[in-house]
Amino acid sequence: MELTLLESCLLGILIFCFVIQLYFSLFVHLKLAIVKVENTPSLVSRPISVIICARNEAENLKEYLPYVLHQEYPDFEVVVVNDRSWDQTREVLEGFAAEYKHLKVVTVSEGEKFIAGKKFAVTMGIKAAANEWLVFTDADCQPATQHWLKGMQQPDDEDTEIVLGYSPYFRKRGLLNSLIRFETFFTAVNYLSFALKGMPYMGVGRNMAYKKSLFFKKKGFAAHMHIPSGDDDLFVNAHANRRNTEIRIHPDTHVWSAPNTSFGAYLKQKKRHFGAGKLYKPAHKFILSSQIIIQFAFYAVFIACLFFTPANYIAGGIFVLSLLIRSFIYPRLLKRLSYPGLRWWFPVLDILLFIFLVFNGILSIFVKKVTWK
């Protein structure tokens, strides 16, 4: 049976989407799957300042701050910025400061004349930091091991000004948690792979590092101070390049984080990230948008092909081939990035994530206002 013009066009679009999909899988993401993971250095050379911004994080600080304070690193300080908290954050930090001499507390009071938001708090923490190499994390984060800072320390190569780390979420029960972890996984695969390819475009504030001198040389967050998000990804997007950026994915350098437990809170978080993405460099926006559009077109055209014979057989073969190739690469990456349990759910979560990203993109068009906590 011969194909009609419509069937030929649909299959042509499906094949085009498959080829583009194949490029991202085999020539970008596969680099992360096969790159050699270097061991965490046993020696340390230069001092480090760890910066944490906290707003109403009393309980999280009690639970997670000791993991940061007890790092096996000979010369480091921890700078915690108490950003206008109204819970017990101040009292908790005072208790820690009395016990740990390498903890420095910076307080931002309500009513001070400044632009509210996390970027101001981060800036205050950076100004208070005594050292050139700054490592960033959040109050609800737990370093995987006591060797986290050894892995995130300043590289010997002086040209390296930024180090991008990885921050998985704790496993909890429920579909939402699986979706959050899977989305975090794909985000990490993308930005880490592109950084390996020489085109770093973002990092996550839960686990990254850069030089204090770079921050002030580039005038901090001045270019995007008008939006509440982007203290991590927009800074990296503007100033990272193939010469000054490295990645760290050794398990010792992972920083685990507590995920959102409600769909509404998760949507709010993703909305902030979506808003920051609008200010990425044009080339980065084009690539990231292309990935979503190609994925959408692939699924949409595949479904359309199912209504035609014999196009449905050809489309089915292309879909199965795509799934086999992706199932060879991404489960391997899931294991490498500390999510081995999600390997068996890869096809289902892949489709659910695609549906969520489309939904979130549409929602972000209509909901504009976002805040930090």
Side-chain angles (χ1 to χ4, degrees):
M1 185 181 297
E2 292 186 3
L3 296 172
T4 65
L5 178 60
L6 176 59
E7 290 172 325
S8 298
C9 290
L10 287 174
L11 287 174
I13 296 172
L14 187 67
I15 292 171
F16 173 77
C17 293
F18 170 65
V19 170
I20 301 300
Q21 188 186 75
L22 210 60
Y23 166 77
F24 285 117
S25 297
L26 295 179
F27 296 98
V28 181
H29 298 164
L30 186 59
K31 293 177 70 71
L32 187 65
I34 63 177
V35 68
K36 181 181 178 181
V37 180
E38 296 181 357
N39 291 327
T40 302
S42 57
L43 300 177
V44 298
S45 54
R46 285 167 279 197
I48 287 175
S49 293
V50 180
I51 296 178
I52 300 172
C53 294
R55 190 176 193 201
N56 298 325
E57 298 280 11
E59 295 305 314
N60 282 329
L61 288 168
K62 289 178 186 176
E63 184 171 0
Y64 299 117
L65 187 55
Y67 290 95
V68 178
L69 292 167
H70 292 160
Q71 285 292 298
E72 290 187 1
Y73 199 90
D75 189 0
F76 77 103
E77 64 173 3
V78 179
V79 180
V80 179
V81 182
N82 178 11
D83 183 21
R84 300 166 292 141
S85 299
W86 58 83
D87 65 351
Q88 300 299 308
T89 295
R90 179 177 63 84
E91 290 80 1
V92 170
L93 289 174
E94 287 176 351
F96 277 119
E99 183 178 356
Y100 298 95
K101 302 306 179 185
H102 58 300
L103 172 62
K104 183 185 297 183
V105 178
V106 177
T107 302
V108 176
S109 301
E110 193 72 64
E112 291 187 15
K113 295 181 179 180
F114 62 86
I115 301 174
K118 187 178 180 181
K119 289 174 185 172
F120 182 83
V122 173
T123 302
M124 296 301 291
I126 292 174
K127 287 183 176 180
N131 302 311
E132 166 71 351
W133 193 246
L134 312 175
V135 178
F136 298 85
T137 190
D138 287 342
D140 59 352
C141 291
Q142 175 184 320
T145 71
Q146 290 180 307
H147 305 298
W148 168 54
L149 288 184
K150 289 182 179 179
M152 295 296 290
Q153 67 179 299
Q154 183 175 346
D156 292 332
D157 185 352
E158 287 295 332
D159 290 336
T160 301
E161 298 177 294
I162 299 173
V163 169
L164 307 178
Y166 170 59
S167 181
Y169 281 115
F170 291 120
R171 179 182 179 181
K172 306 288 183 181
R173 298 184 65 178
L175 179 61
L176 177 61
N177 178 261
S178 296
L179 180 62
I180 289 174
R181 290 189 294 137
F182 195 71
E183 186 271 331
T184 302
F185 159 75
F186 256 107
T187 299
V189 166
N190 227 30
Y191 77 76
L192 293 169
S193 297
F194 272 105
L196 277 177
K197 200 170 173 61
M199 197 178 75
Y201 69 87
M202 69 161 282
V204 292
R206 301 191 303 275
N207 191 15
M208 60 182 288
Y210 53 76
K211 289 182 177 180
K212 184 176 182 178
S213 56
L214 175 69
F215 180 83
F216 288 111
K217 181 173 64 175
K218 300 299 183 179
K219 299 181 180 179
F221 306 126
H224 45 85
M225 200 70 173
H226 59 288
I227 65 171
S229 58
D231 57 282
D232 46 10
D233 57 341
L234 285 181
F235 185 83
V236 173
N237 189 265
H239 308 305
N241 57 60
R242 66 170 60 247
R243 296 179 300 278
N244 75 346
T245 305
E246 297 183 13
I247 70 168
R248 295 290 183 271
I249 59 172
H250 190 282
D252 282 352
T253 66
H254 294 180
V255 171
W256 290 84
S257 184
N260 287 307
T261 55
S262 73
F263 191 69
Y266 181 51
L267 276 178
K268 182 179 179 181
Q269 180 190 53
K270 299 316 296 179
K271 218 155 49 207
R272 290 198 303 268
H273 297 167
F274 188 85
K278 295 177 181 178
L279 297 182
Y280 282 10
K281 293 177 181 177
H284 299 157
K285 285 195 291 185
F286 173 78
I287 290 173
L288 296 175
S289 299
S290 297
Q291 285 182 293
I292 297 175
I293 292 170
I294 289 297
Q295 193 76 343
F296 175 80
F298 181 80
Y299 281 117
V301 175
F302 168 68
I303 293 171
C305 287
L306 296 180
F307 294 94
F308 300 94
T309 304
N312 53 356
Y313 296 110
I314 302 173
I318 295 172
F319 182 83
V320 170
L321 180 59
S322 170
L323 187 60
L324 287 174
I325 294 173
R326 288 160 59 80
S327 295
F328 169 74
I329 297 171
Y330 296 105
R332 182 174 179 176
L333 280 166
L334 280 163
K335 183 177 180 181
R336 169 163 276 192
L337 295 182
S338 298
Y339 287 153
L342 295 180
R343 287 180 296 169
W344 315 112
W345 297 98
F346 166 72
V348 175
L349 290 172
D350 188 47
I351 295 174
L352 289 177
L353 176 60
F354 160 72
I355 295 172
F356 170 77
L357 291 176
V358 172
F359 172 75
N360 184 59
I362 295 173
L363 186 67
S364 298
I365 295 173
F366 299 100
V367 183
K368 302 294 184 181
K369 188 176 180 181
V370 293
T371 58
W372 180 56
K373 295 191 183 292

